[in-house]
Amino acid sequence: MMNHTFFIISFLGFVSALVVHISAIVEAGPAGYHWIWALHAGVFVVFVPLVFRLNRSRDRKTNSPAAFFSAAPWPALAFGFLLFVYAGVNFLVAMAKSDGGVPDIWQGIHVLHDHGRLIREITLPEYIHYTFNEVRGFSGHWLIFYFAPLVFFYTRIKGRQKNRRSFI
């Protein structure tokens, strides 16, 4: 039953992260709201159980990342690889577009800063742009950290439904 619960949470997290990521790229929609940062914490809800299950020590032949990769459907592995590459490129693009800082509001003034060091004051439209860019960088990684558990728990559910020996 836990596999189903984690699968559903992973699926909802992935879809939500995808919506937020796309909205950050086009600079509209939910990426502009503070509630989306709950997706940052949500990653741990599904990714930590995946890590714990892969690191169980009772049987290293069935409880390992290699066992996970061998049991996962190849289209999911291919998509996961492309997603991993995309997340890396997306992060580099977001960093390049950040002008070396993050947007913030200091005493009612929109600023771009780097760890508390003021880079420059920015306008409201620039603040919005930089905020979406910041979300773009994070949300690309959320996609990976929701997709891996999604595939893992899907594979676990399908493995039990086919009445095969579970690989974990």
Side-chain angles (χ1 to χ4, degrees), residues 34-62:
H34 293 291
W35 63 263
I36 59 105
W37 291 104
L39 288 169
H40 206 63
V43 162
F44 296 99
V45 172
V46 292
F47 201 79
V48 169
L50 177 147
V51 171
F52 279 128
R53 295 223 180 141
L54 287 178
N55 286 322
R56 286 184 181 166
S57 61
R58 72 173 191 256
D59 183 359
R60 296 314 293 163
K61 288 185 180 182
T62 58

Short mmCIF file of all heavy atoms in Angstrom, two decimals, residues 34-62:
data_model
loop_
_atom_site.label_atom_id
_atom_site.label_comp_id
_atom_site.label_asym_id
_atom_site.label_seq_id
_atom_site.Cartn_x
_atom_site.Cartn_y
_atom_site.Cartn_z
N HIS A 34 4.40 31.85 -3.89
CA HIS A 34 5.30 31.30 -2.88
C HIS A 34 4.95 29.87 -2.50
O HIS A 34 5.83 29.12 -2.06
CB HIS A 34 5.32 32.19 -1.64
CG HIS A 34 5.94 33.52 -1.89
ND1 HIS A 34 7.28 33.67 -2.15
CD2 HIS A 34 5.40 34.76 -1.94
CE1 HIS A 34 7.55 34.94 -2.36
NE2 HIS A 34 6.43 35.64 -2.24
N TRP A 35 3.71 29.43 -2.68
CA TRP A 35 3.32 28.08 -2.29
C TRP A 35 4.06 27.01 -3.07
O TRP A 35 4.18 25.88 -2.62
CB TRP A 35 1.81 27.87 -2.41
CG TRP A 35 1.29 28.00 -3.83
CD1 TRP A 35 0.73 29.11 -4.38
CD2 TRP A 35 1.29 27.00 -4.85
NE1 TRP A 35 0.39 28.87 -5.69
CE2 TRP A 35 0.72 27.58 -6.01
CE3 TRP A 35 1.71 25.68 -4.92
CZ2 TRP A 35 0.56 26.88 -7.20
CZ3 TRP A 35 1.56 24.97 -6.12
CH2 TRP A 35 0.99 25.58 -7.23
N ILE A 36 4.58 27.37 -4.23
CA ILE A 36 5.26 26.35 -5.05
C ILE A 36 6.51 25.82 -4.37
O ILE A 36 6.98 24.74 -4.69
CB ILE A 36 5.59 26.86 -6.47
CG1 ILE A 36 6.48 28.10 -6.45
CG2 ILE A 36 4.34 27.13 -7.25
CD1 ILE A 36 7.88 27.81 -6.81
N TRP A 37 7.04 26.54 -3.39
CA TRP A 37 8.24 26.07 -2.69
C TRP A 37 7.94 24.83 -1.85
O TRP A 37 8.86 24.15 -1.42
CB TRP A 37 8.87 27.19 -1.88
CG TRP A 37 9.45 28.22 -2.81
CD1 TRP A 37 8.93 29.45 -3.10
CD2 TRP A 37 10.62 28.09 -3.61
NE1 TRP A 37 9.72 30.10 -4.03
CE2 TRP A 37 10.77 29.28 -4.36
CE3 TRP A 37 11.57 27.09 -3.78
CZ2 TRP A 37 11.81 29.50 -5.25
CZ3 TRP A 37 12.63 27.31 -4.66
CH2 TRP A 37 12.72 28.50 -5.38
N ALA A 38 6.66 24.52 -1.64
CA ALA A 38 6.31 23.26 -0.98
C ALA A 38 6.78 22.07 -1.81
O ALA A 38 7.08 21.00 -1.27
CB ALA A 38 4.80 23.18 -0.74
N LEU A 39 6.88 22.26 -3.11
CA LEU A 39 7.40 21.19 -3.98
C LEU A 39 8.85 20.88 -3.64
O LEU A 39 9.32 19.76 -3.82
CB LEU A 39 7.29 21.58 -5.45
CG LEU A 39 5.88 21.58 -6.02
CD1 LEU A 39 5.86 22.24 -7.40
CD2 LEU A 39 5.33 20.18 -6.09
N HIS A 40 9.57 21.87 -3.15
CA HIS A 40 10.96 21.68 -2.75
C HIS A 40 11.04 20.69 -1.59
O HIS A 40 11.86 19.79 -1.59
CB HIS A 40 11.55 23.03 -2.36
CG HIS A 40 13.02 23.13 -2.51
ND1 HIS A 40 13.67 23.02 -3.72
CD2 HIS A 40 14.00 23.34 -1.59
CE1 HIS A 40 14.97 23.15 -3.53
NE2 HIS A 40 15.19 23.34 -2.24
N ALA A 41 10.16 20.86 -0.61
CA ALA A 41 10.12 19.94 0.53
C ALA A 41 9.51 18.60 0.14
O ALA A 41 9.93 17.54 0.64
CB ALA A 41 9.32 20.57 1.67
N GLY A 42 8.55 18.63 -0.76
CA GLY A 42 7.88 17.40 -1.19
C GLY A 42 8.81 16.38 -1.83
O GLY A 42 8.55 15.17 -1.78
N VAL A 43 9.87 16.86 -2.42
CA VAL A 43 10.86 15.96 -3.02
C VAL A 43 11.36 14.95 -1.99
O VAL A 43 11.50 13.76 -2.27
CB VAL A 43 12.04 16.77 -3.61
CG1 VAL A 43 13.25 15.91 -3.85
CG2 VAL A 43 11.61 17.48 -4.88
N PHE A 44 11.58 15.42 -0.78
CA PHE A 44 12.12 14.55 0.27
C PHE A 44 11.11 13.49 0.70
O PHE A 44 11.49 12.40 1.12
CB PHE A 44 12.57 15.38 1.47
CG PHE A 44 13.71 16.29 1.14
CD1 PHE A 44 13.49 17.63 0.85
CD2 PHE A 44 15.01 15.80 1.06
CE1 PHE A 44 14.55 18.47 0.52
CE2 PHE A 44 16.06 16.63 0.73
CZ PHE A 44 15.83 17.96 0.46
N VAL A 45 9.83 13.79 0.58
CA VAL A 45 8.78 12.85 0.97
C VAL A 45 8.85 11.58 0.12
O VAL A 45 8.58 10.49 0.62
CB VAL A 45 7.39 13.51 0.86
CG1 VAL A 45 6.27 12.50 1.07
CG2 VAL A 45 7.27 14.67 1.84
N VAL A 46 9.22 11.71 -1.13
CA VAL A 46 9.26 10.54 -2.02
C VAL A 46 10.67 10.05 -2.32
O VAL A 46 10.87 8.87 -2.57
CB VAL A 46 8.50 10.80 -3.34
CG1 VAL A 46 7.01 10.93 -3.07
CG2 VAL A 46 9.03 12.02 -4.06
N PHE A 47 11.64 10.95 -2.30
CA PHE A 47 12.99 10.54 -2.67
C PHE A 47 13.70 9.81 -1.53
O PHE A 47 14.44 8.86 -1.77
CB PHE A 47 13.82 11.74 -3.16
CG PHE A 47 15.00 11.32 -3.99
CD1 PHE A 47 14.83 10.98 -5.32
CD2 PHE A 47 16.27 11.24 -3.45
CE1 PHE A 47 15.90 10.58 -6.10
CE2 PHE A 47 17.35 10.85 -4.21
CZ PHE A 47 17.16 10.51 -5.54
N VAL A 48 13.48 10.23 -0.31
CA VAL A 48 14.12 9.57 0.83
C VAL A 48 13.68 8.11 0.95
O VAL A 48 14.53 7.22 1.12
CB VAL A 48 13.89 10.37 2.14
CG1 VAL A 48 14.30 9.57 3.36
CG2 VAL A 48 14.64 11.69 2.08
N PRO A 49 12.37 7.79 0.84
CA PRO A 49 11.99 6.37 0.87
C PRO A 49 12.63 5.56 -0.26
O PRO A 49 13.00 4.40 -0.07
CB PRO A 49 10.47 6.39 0.73
CG PRO A 49 10.07 7.73 1.23
CD PRO A 49 11.19 8.66 0.85
N LEU A 50 12.78 6.17 -1.44
CA LEU A 50 13.45 5.47 -2.54
C LEU A 50 14.88 5.13 -2.15
O LEU A 50 15.32 3.99 -2.32
CB LEU A 50 13.43 6.35 -3.79
CG LEU A 50 14.15 5.81 -5.02
CD1 LEU A 50 13.44 6.27 -6.27
CD2 LEU A 50 15.59 6.24 -5.08
N VAL A 51 15.60 6.07 -1.60
CA VAL A 51 16.99 5.84 -1.20
C VAL A 51 17.07 4.77 -0.12
O VAL A 51 17.91 3.86 -0.20
CB VAL A 51 17.66 7.16 -0.73
CG1 VAL A 51 19.02 6.89 -0.11
CG2 VAL A 51 17.77 8.13 -1.89
N PHE A 52 16.20 4.85 0.87
CA PHE A 52 16.22 3.83 1.94
C PHE A 52 15.93 2.44 1.38
O PHE A 52 16.57 1.46 1.77
CB PHE A 52 15.23 4.17 3.05
CG PHE A 52 15.76 5.18 4.02
CD1 PHE A 52 15.02 6.31 4.31
CD2 PHE A 52 16.98 5.02 4.64
CE1 PHE A 52 15.49 7.26 5.22
CE2 PHE A 52 17.48 5.95 5.53
CZ PHE A 52 16.73 7.08 5.83
N ARG A 53 14.99 2.35 0.47
CA ARG A 53 14.66 1.03 -0.10
C ARG A 53 15.80 0.49 -0.96
O ARG A 53 16.04 -0.70 -0.98
CB ARG A 53 13.37 1.12 -0.89
CG ARG A 53 12.20 1.44 0.01
CD ARG A 53 11.01 0.62 -0.31
NE ARG A 53 9.93 0.99 0.58
CZ ARG A 53 8.68 1.08 0.20
NH1 ARG A 53 8.34 0.82 -1.04
NH2 ARG A 53 7.74 1.40 1.06
N LEU A 54 16.48 1.37 -1.65
CA LEU A 54 17.59 0.91 -2.48
C LEU A 54 18.82 0.55 -1.64
O LEU A 54 19.69 -0.16 -2.12
CB LEU A 54 17.99 1.98 -3.51
CG LEU A 54 17.04 2.17 -4.67
CD1 LEU A 54 17.52 3.29 -5.57
CD2 LEU A 54 16.87 0.89 -5.48
N ASN A 55 18.88 1.02 -0.43
CA ASN A 55 20.04 0.75 0.42
C ASN A 55 19.80 -0.32 1.48
O ASN A 55 20.62 -0.48 2.36
CB ASN A 55 20.53 2.04 1.08
CG ASN A 55 21.23 2.93 0.10
OD1 ASN A 55 21.96 2.45 -0.76
ND2 ASN A 55 20.99 4.22 0.19
N ARG A 56 18.70 -1.03 1.40
CA ARG A 56 18.49 -2.14 2.32
C ARG A 56 19.63 -3.13 2.13
O ARG A 56 20.03 -3.42 1.01
CB ARG A 56 17.16 -2.82 2.08
CG ARG A 56 15.99 -2.03 2.55
CD ARG A 56 14.74 -2.83 2.36
NE ARG A 56 13.58 -2.08 2.79
CZ ARG A 56 12.34 -2.42 2.50
NH1 ARG A 56 12.10 -3.51 1.78
NH2 ARG A 56 11.34 -1.71 2.92
N SER A 57 20.10 -3.68 3.21
CA SER A 57 21.31 -4.51 3.11
C SER A 57 21.05 -6.02 3.09
O SER A 57 21.98 -6.79 2.99
CB SER A 57 22.26 -4.17 4.26
OG SER A 57 21.62 -4.46 5.49
N ARG A 58 19.81 -6.47 3.16
CA ARG A 58 19.60 -7.91 3.28
C ARG A 58 19.94 -8.69 2.00
O ARG A 58 20.26 -9.84 2.07
CB ARG A 58 18.18 -8.20 3.75
CG ARG A 58 17.12 -7.95 2.73
CD ARG A 58 15.75 -8.43 3.22
NE ARG A 58 14.85 -8.38 2.11
CZ ARG A 58 13.93 -7.47 1.92
NH1 ARG A 58 13.76 -6.54 2.82
NH2 ARG A 58 13.17 -7.48 0.86
N ASP A 59 19.85 -8.07 0.86
CA ASP A 59 20.16 -8.79 -0.39
C ASP A 59 20.66 -7.78 -1.42
O ASP A 59 19.88 -7.10 -2.06
CB ASP A 59 18.92 -9.53 -0.89
CG ASP A 59 19.20 -10.35 -2.14
OD1 ASP A 59 20.34 -10.33 -2.63
OD2 ASP A 59 18.27 -11.02 -2.62
N ARG A 60 21.95 -7.70 -1.60
CA ARG A 60 22.54 -6.70 -2.50
C ARG A 60 22.23 -6.98 -3.97
O ARG A 60 22.30 -6.09 -4.80
CB ARG A 60 24.06 -6.61 -2.31
CG ARG A 60 24.50 -6.14 -0.94
CD ARG A 60 23.76 -4.93 -0.41
NE ARG A 60 24.02 -3.72 -1.14
CZ ARG A 60 23.26 -2.65 -1.07
NH1 ARG A 60 22.19 -2.62 -0.33
NH2 ARG A 60 23.55 -1.59 -1.76
N LYS A 61 21.87 -8.21 -4.31
CA LYS A 61 21.54 -8.49 -5.72
C LYS A 61 20.19 -7.92 -6.11
O LYS A 61 19.95 -7.61 -7.26
CB LYS A 61 21.56 -9.99 -5.97
CG LYS A 61 22.95 -10.58 -5.97
CD LYS A 61 22.91 -12.03 -6.34
CE LYS A 61 24.33 -12.58 -6.32
NZ LYS A 61 24.38 -13.98 -6.70
N THR A 62 19.28 -7.84 -5.14
CA THR A 62 17.96 -7.32 -5.44
C THR A 62 17.72 -5.93 -4.87
O THR A 62 16.79 -5.26 -5.26
CB THR A 62 16.86 -8.26 -4.91
OG1 THR A 62 17.02 -8.41 -3.52
CG2 THR A 62 16.93 -9.60 -5.61
#
